[in-house]
C-alpha cells in the first residue's frame, strides 16, 4: 500500500481546485477533489447500509493545512481524505471509535476496476490512532478508470431475515466479557448507546464476527440488558467487596499497630512505676536519716551549750586562784 509521501506526489499540487461538495448519510457535508467523488459515493453506500449517520458539526474533508505535529501537507490539503464524526472517533494514543468494524472493513474493501484498494482507515495507523480518518490510497489515474461495482455491494446480513439478531451476533457477549477497566479505558459501550448505534467490536474479542453486529430490536434488547445489568452488578459487587476487604485489612492492621503501641506504653508506664517505688523508698530512707541527723545535731548543740557554761565557770575560778596567788606572792595573807 502506498505511503503518505507517495500519495502527496501522486495528488500534487496541494490546495488546488477543482473540488466538489458531497453530502454523506446523516447530513455530514464534505469537500473533496472531483476525482474522489465516485469513491466517496461508494463509501457513502456502505454508511447507508450500516445506517451509520454522519454529523454535519464534526465531519469534514478538504482543509489546506499541515499534518498534525509535522510540516508536510496533510492529505486533507489535496481533498483526498475525510474525517467522520471526530467527537466520537477521536485522534489519540488509544483507539476509540463508535464505528462497527464490519462497516470499516466494507469501506476498506472498496476497489477500483483495476483491483486497487481505494480507502485506508486511520484507526490502523501504527502510532497514534486516527479513528475519524479515511484517506484515498489510489492514484488519480486509477480512480478515473472507475470503482468496481461488486465492491460496493454491502456484506452486512439482512436485518429483516427470520433469524434473530442475537443468533447472528455474539458481539454483546464479547463486550460483556471485557474487563471493567477496558470499558472505562476505551469508552466504546454504554447502556444508552445500545439503543441508538451498532454494538461496537472490541479489541481482544476474538470470538465475535464483527460484520454481523447490528442494532437489536428493543423486544430482544430488554432481556439482554437484564443480563448485562446483572453482570455489571456482579462486577460492581465484587469490586465493592474487594474494596471493603482491603479497607477491613487496613483497619485491622491499624488496630494491631495501635494495640502494640498501647502495650509498649503500658510496659513503659510499668517501668516508670517500679522506678518511682524505688525512688520513694530511697526518699523515705533519706527522710529518716535526716530526722536522725537533726536529733543528733540538737543533742550536740545542747552539749555545746553545757560545755560553754562549764568553761565560763572554770574561767571565773581560775581568775580567783590567780588573784590569791598574787597576794601570797606579795607576802600578805589572802
Amino acid at each position: 500500500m502506498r505511503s503518505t509521501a507517495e500519495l502527496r506526489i501522486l495528488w500534487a499540487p496541494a490546495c488546488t481546485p477543482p473540488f466538489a461538495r458531497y453530502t454523506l448519510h446523516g447530513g455530514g457535508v464534505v469537500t473533496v477533489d472531483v476525482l474522489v467523488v465516485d469513491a466517496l459515493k461508494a463509501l457513502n453506500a456502505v454508511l447507508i447500509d450500516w445506517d451509520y449517520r454522519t454529523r454535519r458539526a464534526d465531519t469534514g474533508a478538504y482543509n489546506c493545512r499541515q499534518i498534525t505535529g509535522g510540516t508536510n501537507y496533510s492529505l486533507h490539503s489535496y481533498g483526498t481524505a475525510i474525517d467522520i464524526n471526530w467527537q466520537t472517533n477521536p485522534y489519540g494514543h488509544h483507539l476509540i471509535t463508535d464505528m462497527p468494524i464490519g462497516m470499516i472493513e466494507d469501506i476498506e474493501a472498496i476497489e477500483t476496476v483495476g483491483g486497487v484498494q481505494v480507502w485506508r482507515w486511520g484507526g490502523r495507523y501504527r502510532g497514534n490512532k486516527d479513528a475519524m480518518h479515511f484517506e484515498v490510497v489510489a492514484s488519480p489515474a486509477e480512480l478515473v478508470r472507475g470503482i468496481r461495482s461488486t465492491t460496493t455491494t454491502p456484506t452486512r446480513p439482512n436485518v429483516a431475515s427470520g433469524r434473530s439478531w442475537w443468533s447472528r451476533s455474539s458481539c454483546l457477549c464479547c463486550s460483556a466479557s471485557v474487563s471493567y477497566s477496558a470499558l472505562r479505558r476505551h469508552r466504546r459501550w454504554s447502556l444508552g448507546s445500545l439503543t441508538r448505534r451498532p454494538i461496537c467490536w472490541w479489541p481482544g474479542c476474538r470470538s465475535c464476527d464483527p460484520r454481523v453486529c447490528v442494532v437489536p430490536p428493543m423486544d430482544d434488547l430488554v432481556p439482554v440488558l437484564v443480563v448485562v445489568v446483572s453482570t455489571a452488578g456482579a462486577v460492581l459487587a465484587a469490586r465493592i467487596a474487594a474494596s471493603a476487604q482491603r479497607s477491613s485489612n487496613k483497619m485491622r492492621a491499624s488496630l494491631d499497630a495501635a494495640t502494640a503501641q498501647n502495650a509498649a506504653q503500658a510496659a513503659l508506664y510499668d517501668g516508670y512505676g517500679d522506678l518511682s517505688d524505688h525512688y520513694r523508698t530511697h526518699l523515705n530512707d533519706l527522710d529518716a536519716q535526716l530526722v536522725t541527723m537533726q536529733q543528733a545535731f540538737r543533742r550536740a548543740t545542747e552539749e555545746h551549750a553545757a560545755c560553754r557554761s562549764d568553761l565560763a565557770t572554770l574561767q571565773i575560778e581560775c581568775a580567783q586562784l590567780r588573784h590569791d596567788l598574787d597576794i601570797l606572792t606579795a607576802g600578805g595573807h589572802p
Side-chain angles (χ1 to χ4, degrees):
M1 190 176 295
R2 295 185 175 100
S3 65
T4 302
E6 293 173 330
L7 293 173
R8 290 193 188 99
I9 296 173
L10 290 172
W11 288 92
C15 307
T16 304
F19 296 112
R21 289 170 62 85
Y22 188 85
T23 301
L24 297 172
H25 179 58
V29 179
V30 295
T31 300
V32 296
D33 189 291
V34 293
L35 298 179
V36 179
V37 172
D38 288 341
L40 192 60
K41 290 179 180 179
L43 182 147
N44 192 49
V46 177
L47 297 180
I48 293 172
D49 177 67
W50 284 88
D51 195 23
Y52 184 84
R53 298 179 178 273
T54 61
R55 297 183 293 268
R56 190 183 185 94
D58 57 343
T59 297
Y62 172 71
N63 186 4
C64 187
R65 64 172 177 83
Q66 296 173 335
I67 61 175
T68 303
T71 57
N72 294 318
Y73 275 115
S74 165
L75 292 181
H76 288 282
S77 302
Y78 301 89
T80 60
I82 64 173
D83 289 339
I84 298 176
N85 296 351
W86 53 70
Q87 292 182 1
T88 51
N89 300 285
Y91 174 89
H93 296 295
H94 301 289
L95 178 60
I96 301 174
T97 183
D98 63 353
M99 299 181 189
I101 187 60
M103 185 189 79
I104 295 171
E105 291 178 349
D106 285 349
I107 294 174
E108 292 175 323
I110 298 173
E111 295 179 348
T112 65
V113 173
V116 178
Q117 180 177 340
V118 176
W119 294 101
R120 174 167 58 198
W121 182 45
R124 301 197 190 280
Y125 288 166
R126 292 183 180 178
N128 289 336
K129 308 302 181 182
D130 197 356
M132 72 186 83
H133 183 83
F134 288 93
E135 60 190 23
V136 174
V137 291
S139 68
E142 291 165 341
L143 287 183
V144 169
R145 297 183 60 187
I147 303 298
R148 180 179 294 173
S149 60
T150 55
T151 61
T152 61
T153 301
T155 58
R156 183 185 182 190
N158 184 6
V159 179
S161 64
R163 302 170 64 190
S164 68
W165 71 274
W166 183 257
S167 65
R168 287 186 280 107
S169 175
S170 59
C171 294
L172 187 60
C173 290
C174 291
S175 299
S177 68
V178 177
S179 65
Y180 178 74
S181 60
L183 290 176
R184 295 188 60 185
R185 182 171 62 253
H186 294 284
R187 302 177 185 176
R188 297 187 185 178
W189 177 84
S190 67
L191 292 179
S193 67
L194 291 178
T195 62
R196 61 178 182 271
R197 66 179 61 159
I199 301 171
C200 302
W201 112 93
W202 290 81
C205 190
R206 303 302 182 211
S207 61
C208 286
D209 180 3
R211 290 179 177 272
V212 295
C213 290
V214 296
V215 178
M218 287 303 299
D219 291 341
D220 290 341
L221 182 60
V222 171
V224 177
L225 288 178
V226 172
V227 174
V228 172
V229 171
S230 300
T231 303
V235 173
L236 183 60
R239 290 174 63 86
I240 292 175
S243 178
Q245 184 63 39
R246 289 194 296 270
S247 300
S248 177
N249 292 338
K250 290 182 179 180
M251 293 179 63
R252 185 176 292 105
S254 300
L255 181 61
D256 293 341
T259 303
Q261 184 176 4
N262 290 337
Q265 291 179 349
L268 184 62
Y269 292 155
D270 291 341
Y272 287 158
D274 295 340
L275 187 62
S276 176
D277 293 340
H278 172 73
Y279 284 150
R280 186 177 292 106
T281 302
H282 185 59
L283 181 61
N284 292 335
D285 293 342
L286 292 177
D287 288 340
Q289 293 179 11
L290 178 61
V291 171
T292 302
M293 292 177 66
Q294 288 176 345
Q295 293 174 353
F297 178 75
R298 188 177 296 109
R299 288 194 297 270
T301 301
E302 292 174 354
E303 290 176 356
H304 178 69
C307 289
R308 290 179 62 83
S309 177
D310 293 341
L311 178 62
T313 302
L314 290 175
Q315 288 177 343
I316 293 172
E317 291 178 356
C318 286
Q320 184 62 41
L321 290 174
R322 186 178 292 109
H323 177 72
D324 293 343
L325 180 61
D326 290 339
I327 293 175
L328 291 175
T329 302
H333 188 274

